[in-house]
């Protein structure tokens, strides 16, 4: 199976996406998908140009930029709210079963 | 003292009429102390307008204003509590207003740095008892004791 490419974005690419990145990787690894995905962090303004090359965009902010791949708003990851639903949705889009 | 706090940027129970004024008061301390460049406030305001940093916690709302590393000289965390709340937009929404009573302003020099501190800070936000103490604190010495209690006194 091809390695899935995850684009993780926040406003500046320095703070909340870093936190979300750690939590996402921990959970995907826990679910047994280690090695089946890669994560790149970016700023929201880079989403239009970068998203065509990714399988999913996970955003910690409300992102009104044009996104060429499926997007999941994942602000809840920062404060541990509704995280299972967010992870489930991400796994569904990535076809991680 | 942890070098993330050594510029001693902490203001207590301040008054501000809106978020712009509140951000200005706190960002000014970053610029005066030299940890941030004089473009820092503009960067903070622009970021807040485009992508808000308000967070709604269990019993209160906080904000974590920050901006691009190009406006920052060295990594530092500043704090300000407000006597009366000011409206911020909640992160992850386009327009949901929330009443913020505390700001933890982040000057981050590089992307992907400070992960341990950021993870700890988000844990602190979920600790209601500790957050009440941050709200009540009124001097730097006691504030820094809370930072230590929270385990935020890491090296940058």
């Amino acid at each position: 199976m091809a390695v899935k490419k995850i684009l993780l974005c926040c406003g500046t690419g320095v703070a909340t996406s870093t936190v979300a990145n750690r939590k996402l990787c921990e959970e995907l690894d826990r679910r047994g998908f280690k090695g089946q995905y890669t994560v790149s962090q970016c700023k929201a303004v880079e989403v239009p140009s970068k998203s065509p090359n990714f399988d999913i965009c996970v955003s910690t902010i409300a992102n009104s930029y044009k996104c060429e791949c499926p997007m999941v708003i994942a602000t809840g990851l920062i404060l541990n709210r509704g995280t299972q639903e967010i992870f489930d949705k991400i796994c569904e889009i990535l076809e991680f079963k | 003292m942890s070098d993330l706090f050594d510029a001693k940027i902490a203001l207590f129970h301040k008054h501000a009429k809106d978020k712009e004024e509140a951000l200005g008061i706190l960002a000014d301390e970053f610029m005066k102390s030299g940890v941030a460049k004089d473009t820092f406030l503009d960067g903070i305001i622009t970021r807040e307008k485009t992508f808000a940093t308000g967070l709604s916690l269990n019993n209160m709302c906080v904000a974590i204003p920050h901006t691009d590393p190009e406006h920052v000289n060295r990594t530092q965390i500043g704090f300000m509590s407000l006597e009366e709340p000011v409206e911020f937009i909640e992160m992850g929404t386009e327009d949901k207003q929330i009443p913020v009573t505390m700001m933890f302003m982040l000057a981050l020099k590089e992307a992907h740095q400070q992960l341990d501190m950021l993870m700890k800070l988000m844990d602190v936000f979920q600790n209601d008892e500790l957050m009440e103490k941050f709200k009540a604190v009124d001097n730097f010495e006691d504030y820094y004791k809370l930072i230590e209690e929270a385990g935020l006194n890491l090296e940058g």
Side-chain angles (χ1 to χ4, degrees):
Chain A
M1 195 165 75
V3 172
K4 301 284 186 175
K5 293 173 73 183
I6 303 170
L7 185 62
L8 230 168
C9 92
C10 71
T12 51
V14 293
T16 56
S17 59
T18 304
V19 172
N21 192 340
R22 162 80 70 94
K23 293 190 177 175
L24 177 62
C25 293
E26 280 176 357
E27 178 66 13
L28 290 179
D29 291 352
R30 197 186 66 78
R31 292 188 181 198
F33 303 114
K34 196 178 174 81
Q36 296 180 38
Y37 67 92
T38 59
V39 182
S40 306
Q41 267 176 250
C42 78
K43 294 183 187 192
V45 290
E46 298 170 324
V47 167
S49 62
K50 291 195 167 178
S51 56
N53 302 315
F54 286 83
D55 297 296
I56 188 171
C57 176
V58 177
S59 173
T60 60
I61 53 169
N63 190 333
S64 53
Y65 288 99
K66 194 171 164 61
C67 184
E68 305 280 353
C69 63
M71 176 180 280
V72 174
I73 302 291
T75 315
L77 292 189
I78 299 166
L79 294 173
N80 295 328
R81 295 222 178 106
T83 49
Q84 289 313 309
E85 289 81 355
I86 294 169
F87 290 133
D88 288 348
K89 201 168 167 191
I90 292 169
C91 284
E92 189 188 319
I93 292 169
L94 294 177
E95 295 171 349
F96 281 172
K97 285 164 195 159
Chain B
M1 180 179 298
S2 156
D3 59 5
L4 295 174
F5 298 89
D6 62 358
K8 299 190 176 180
I9 300 172
L11 301 169
F12 309 102
H13 306 146
K14 289 285 175 185
H15 297 268
K17 64 178 191 304
D18 55 27
K19 72 173 173 225
E20 284 77 13
E21 186 178 359
L23 290 168
I25 294 168
L26 186 51
D28 203 37
E29 299 292 317
F30 281 76
M31 297 185 289
K32 273 195 305 199
S33 65
V35 301
K37 297 174 185 162
D38 55 12
T39 55
F40 185 66
L41 176 59
D42 284 344
I44 288 276
I45 299 264
T46 305
R47 149 83 205 211
E48 202 63 46
K49 264 187 198 144
T50 338
F51 310 111
T53 68
L55 294 170
S56 178
L57 313 182
N58 292 333
N59 301 325
M60 62 186 79
C61 298
V62 300
I64 51 165
H66 56 278
T67 187
D68 298 296
E70 67 196 62
H71 306 295
V72 174
N73 289 323
R74 66 184 181 93
T75 299
Q76 193 73 198
I77 302 166
F79 171 82
M80 181 163 123
S81 56
L82 290 154
E83 199 61 47
E84 307 90 23
V86 296
E87 300 278 312
F88 273 72
I89 308 282
E90 184 172 14
M91 190 187 295
T93 77
E94 300 274 357
D95 52 11
K96 188 179 171 200
Q97 305 252 16
I98 56 171
V100 163
T101 48
M102 282 188 276
M103 299 191 292
F104 291 80
M105 190 173 271
L106 314 172
L108 301 174
K109 184 61 196 153
E110 299 196 27
H112 321 319
Q113 253 193 351
Q114 306 309 330
L115 176 59
D116 292 337
M117 181 277 290
L118 289 167
M119 296 285 284
K120 278 232 163 71
L121 187 59
M122 299 309 144
D123 289 342
V124 172
F125 288 168
Q126 292 160 71
N127 182 333
D128 299 339
E129 195 189 331
L130 204 47
M131 290 308 286
E132 290 295 343
K133 289 186 190 172
F134 271 109
K135 209 170 180 176
V137 74
D138 64 0
N139 65 80
F140 188 84
E141 197 183 323
D142 289 343
Y143 163 74
Y144 196 71
K145 279 184 193 152
L146 288 180
I147 294 295
E148 289 177 322
E149 186 183 340
L152 288 166
N153 54 324
L154 307 165
E155 292 305 315

